Amino acid sequence: MMLHRFVEPAVRSALTRMGVSADHPIALETPRNAGQGDLASTVAMSLAKTLGKAPKVIAEEICTELRSAPYIQHVDVAGPGFINVTFDRSVYHVVLAELLQQADGIGRSSIGVGSRVNVEYVSANPTGPLHAGHGRNCAVGDTIANLYAWCGFNVTREYYFNNAGNQMNKLAESIDARLHQHLGADVEFPEDGYHGEYITLIAQHVADAHGSAVLDLPEVERRDLCKKAGEQWCFATIRATLEKLTIHHDVYFNEDSLYTDGKVQQVIDTLRGNGLAYEKDGALWFALEQLGNPQDKVIVKSSGEPTYRLPDIAYHCDKLERGFDVVVDIFGADHIATIPDVVAGVRAMGLDETKIRTVIHQMVTFIEDGEVVKFSKRSGTSFTLDDLIEEVGADVVRFFFIMRAVGTHLEFDLNLAKEEGDKNPVFYLQYAHARIASILRKAAEQGLQVSDAVDLSVLVHDKEIALIDVLSRYGGTIERACVNLEPQAVAEYLREVAAAYHHFYHDCRILGTEEPLQSARLALALVTQRALRNGLQIVGVSAPDVM
RNA sequence: GCGCCCAUAGCUCAGCUGGAUAGAGCAGCAGCCUUCUAAGCUGUAGGUCGCAGGUUCGAAUCCUGCUGGGCGCGCCA
């Protein structure tokens, strides 16, 4: 936080004099209540035991040092030993001037410079369109990738395209069956096949492309044709949906490449060589118990086909071998069980599994008119992500899916989402942005421009200071959201920024005010607009100039 | 049965590394537009932070147990 640096050096110096080691953290927080200063520290209380002194005594000693530090108006000790710092108002002018100079870079951080991170998200099987629930993975993953990028990391956004498993054969069988039906042949639809309307659509494409002669092809060849057509259609459909949410992946990693490259075989060989894989009942087992996990698991079925675990391990090894410093997986709660196995596998392969970070988001429930929406009851077939975007718009989809902590179950209120008024939290943020845009337009028409040389010292109103205070926490908030993988912290912060601006707007007239106050307020509005625009960009929501 | 997650205002949820009187939106009630966008603002009301212990100067936050809900525990992915 930007204000910390006006306090930390003096506190550190006082602590050093008391013989406290330099790595002792200096806890600083923004007091919740009025009358407790602008910044408070609990460091005196945390040191009471080690120093063997009363917290108030320690606090007093620190205060002596602090009182002579620049920009500090007064310091006092309160309660059990809180150190409450009140800044001279000029500190806020210094901070705002810096924020103004950062221009469009406000909120950026450099903590990740020099590090490469891979964020894998969406990764839905290419066996059909994305359903509405997939939206959470999409939004959370893309926001986390954005956060890394804003913190200076070199980010690769990756989609693990699961095109080698058994489910692709089921897709091919389903399409083949519809193909026969479409061409007038009588066949039974596979019991566990995919029933969506899109299967019929893909079958029609195959029929159109190859004519009825396709039925005369050998089954293997025809199935392959169906599989390819299905994969292509699903891939294109999924990408089109992601496009609507402004999500673009850098790498689409094909699962089948793990077989053609020999990566899967390499895992088998290494595990065997280390005595971590053994044959039983005709299958190959991964000796997870030896690695401390609850039970051994099959990695190659007796049919010779691998289970998903094997390519998953090979895939994660591949990501680490590509040299990423951090490998992030975004998973739904239904995938929790697979993670320990993969991590154990990566470690068994001799790679650093601590670079892997997993984000597990809980499930989503859609509510409409007070009732739970059944996925299967929408549009006759299923409630797709496209349907959801169609109903509430891409901005609302992205924001609603990240506005709650990933670890909690999300209730997606469709009525609230569709509301285009004051109840909808997305509009509250966008409205603040549009309001500022409007003022800046009018200012420009009058020939007013914000320059870095503007005199900010005239900003002394409570609401002005409060807004600057919120803005000063921008960088730190983004860093924390990134390090902790908490997208909702951005949503929460943006609400604070918008609220602080609306309060300021209500009390402080900008245009038509005497100079230099008009210019100073204009500068404050400009910085706020940049903060909102950047924050909205991080969560993938548009920042309209007009509403 | 085992593992992971969750439990905070009527509803949906915030709550930074434990901190001072627990925060916001919606719903409720009462107000504010001849002036930069009222998609805004102000006020009011609403709570044994699931329960019981423990650690601590201090616990919604950490630990243990319990209750209630979600997800998972396959030679499916």
Side-chain angles (χ1 to χ4, degrees):
Chain A
M1 312 289 166
M2 295 177 77
L3 289 170
H4 289 197
R5 73 166 200 268
F6 296 98
V7 172
E8 269 167 359
V11 175
R12 178 61 69 202
S13 145
L15 292 186
T16 306
R17 224 159 15 82
M18 289 180 235
V20 177
S21 74
D23 57 354
H24 188 89
I26 297 173
L28 290 169
E29 57 196 49
T30 312
R32 250 200 305 271
N33 308 302
Q36 295 173 346
D38 299 317
L39 209 54
S41 181
T42 56
V43 71
M45 289 178 279
S46 73
L47 281 169
K49 192 161 265 177
T50 48
L51 289 180
K53 285 196 248 183
K56 286 190 173 187
V57 176
I58 302 169
E60 276 304 338
E61 280 187 53
I62 296 171
C63 282
T64 317
E65 191 104 9
L66 265 174
R67 288 197 179 95
S68 55
Y71 295 112
I72 287 173
Q73 194 183 75
H74 67 264
V75 185
D76 43 37
V77 178
F82 290 97
I83 299 168
N84 292 339
V85 177
T86 303
F87 290 113
D88 192 280
R89 300 297 87 173
S90 61
V91 83
Y92 292 101
H93 307 141
V94 171
V95 163
L96 182 58
E98 282 175 23
L99 291 170
L100 187 58
Q101 278 192 342
Q102 287 172 14
D104 290 332
I106 182 171
R108 287 200 183 272
S109 155
S110 55
I111 57 170
V113 170
S115 295
R116 294 179 60 220
V117 58
N118 179 295
V119 183
E120 182 216 326
Y121 58 110
V122 189
S123 297
N125 292 340
T127 54
L130 297 174
H131 62 76
H134 279 124
R136 191 169 197 186
N137 194 296
C138 300
V140 166
D142 202 52
T143 299
I144 284 175
N146 287 343
L147 280 168
Y148 273 115
W150 274 80
C151 287
F153 288 85
N154 182 321
V155 182
T156 297
R157 295 153 199 263
E158 189 151 323
Y159 189 129
Y160 181 53
F161 206 62
N162 220 298
N163 60 353
N166 196 29
Q167 80 283 354
M168 293 308 287
N169 296 329
K170 249 193 275 180
L171 176 71
E173 278 174 47
S174 307
I175 295 169
D176 194 22
R178 292 289 183 229
L179 181 63
H180 278 79
Q181 289 169 352
H182 180 69
L183 294 171
D186 187 33
V187 296
E188 213 172 300
F189 195 78
E191 201 177 315
D192 53 355
Y194 293 98
H195 288 271
E197 289 169 358
Y198 65 96
I199 298 292
T200 309
L201 198 69
I202 298 166
Q204 279 168 13
H205 287 322
V206 176
D208 291 349
H210 298 89
S212 55
V214 72
L215 295 187
D216 302 327
L217 289 171
E219 185 177 273
V220 181
E221 216 170 299
R222 201 179 56 244
R223 287 276 164 85
D224 200 50
L225 215 61
C226 288
K227 190 196 271 188
K228 291 254 164 54
E231 186 180 325
Q232 265 173 31
W233 186 90
C234 292
F235 186 49
T237 301
I238 289 168
R239 283 189 67 158
T241 304
L242 293 175
E243 179 66 37
K244 291 181 196 168
L245 296 175
T246 61
I247 292 174
H248 308 97
H249 288 86
D250 303 305
V251 176
Y252 292 88
F253 191 98
N254 283 332
E255 182 190 0
D256 55 15
S257 73
L258 292 167
Y259 295 93
T260 53
D261 291 354
K263 299 266 185 189
V264 166
Q265 190 58 45
Q266 204 181 316
V267 173
I268 294 174
D269 295 344
T270 306
L271 292 183
R272 273 210 158 108
N274 294 342
L276 288 167
Y278 62 90
E279 310 262 358
K280 191 179 94 182
D281 304 332
L284 187 68
W285 294 68
F286 182 15
L288 282 157
E289 283 185 39
Q290 279 188 50
L291 298 166
N293 287 34
Q295 51 182 308
D296 294 355
K297 297 278 175 62
V298 170
I299 47 176
V300 181
K301 300 183 240 175
S302 53
S303 64
E305 292 170 309
T307 63
Y308 68 91
R309 241 173 244 104
L310 182 54
D312 271 6
I313 293 169
Y315 174 50
H316 280 81
C317 289
D318 181 83
K319 284 199 276 194
L320 289 168
E321 282 163 356
R322 275 185 269 157
F324 292 105
D325 300 291
V326 186
V327 169
V328 183
D329 290 335
I330 315 291
F331 285 134
D334 50 345
H335 281 250
I336 279 179
T338 79
I339 295 160
D341 295 349
V342 171
V343 168
V346 167
R347 191 173 49 218
M349 291 297 291
L351 293 162
D352 183 1
E353 84 281 4
T354 60
K355 288 178 178 170
I356 299 173
R357 296 193 66 187
T358 49
V359 175
I360 297 159
H361 62 263
Q362 296 297 312
M363 301 285 99
V364 182
T365 308
F366 292 91
I367 304 286
E368 188 165 38
D369 303 327
E371 288 186 21
V372 175
V373 177
K374 297 260 170 39
F375 274 58
S376 55
K377 289 237 170 110
R378 284 309 188 85
S379 333
T381 51
S382 66
F383 187 17
T384 66
L385 186 50
D386 276 338
D387 293 337
L388 181 64
I389 296 168
E390 180 73 26
E391 279 191 43
V392 307
D395 283 341
V396 172
V397 168
R398 291 225 34 174
F399 194 80
F400 271 52
F401 277 129
I402 62 97
M403 68 193 226
R404 304 305 186 201
V406 292
T408 64
H409 300 268
L410 177 64
E411 197 157 299
F412 197 117
D413 185 334
L414 288 167
N415 298 98
L416 176 61
K418 275 185 272 194
E419 186 90 39
E420 296 208 347
D422 55 350
K423 297 186 190 77
N424 194 319
V426 181
F427 292 98
Y428 184 75
L429 309 181
Q430 293 182 319
Y431 183 59
H433 183 272
R435 264 184 155 180
I436 299 172
S438 171
I439 287 179
L440 292 174
R441 267 195 309 275
K442 287 198 165 71
E445 282 165 19
Q446 296 170 28
L448 287 168
Q449 283 202 320
V450 177
S451 93
D452 282 1
V454 62
D455 175 14
L456 299 171
S457 67
V458 288
L459 298 174
V460 292
H461 192 282
D462 280 355
K463 298 292 162 64
E464 292 166 343
I465 300 297
L467 177 54
I468 297 170
D469 187 53
V470 172
L471 292 170
S472 79
R473 298 203 299 269
Y474 201 154
T477 302
I478 299 298
E479 281 177 11
R480 187 159 44 80
C482 179
V483 170
N484 298 336
L485 303 175
E486 290 174 341
Q488 91 283 357
V490 182
E492 181 63 19
Y493 176 71
L494 287 175
R495 196 198 55 73
E496 272 186 62
V497 174
Y501 179 76
H502 284 310
H503 297 161
F504 158 71
Y505 177 92
H506 188 261
D507 288 3
C508 305
R509 173 92 200 174
I510 298 174
L511 298 178
T513 308
E514 74 283 7
E515 288 293 357
L517 189 56
Q518 176 174 243
S519 290
R521 285 180 172 170
L522 212 49
L524 179 54
L526 178 64
V527 171
T528 307
Q529 187 197 33
R530 288 167 177 164
L532 284 170
R533 194 199 297 131
N534 290 354
L536 287 169
Q537 194 184 323
I538 290 170
V539 299
V541 174
S542 66
D545 287 332
V546 181
M547 283 177 79

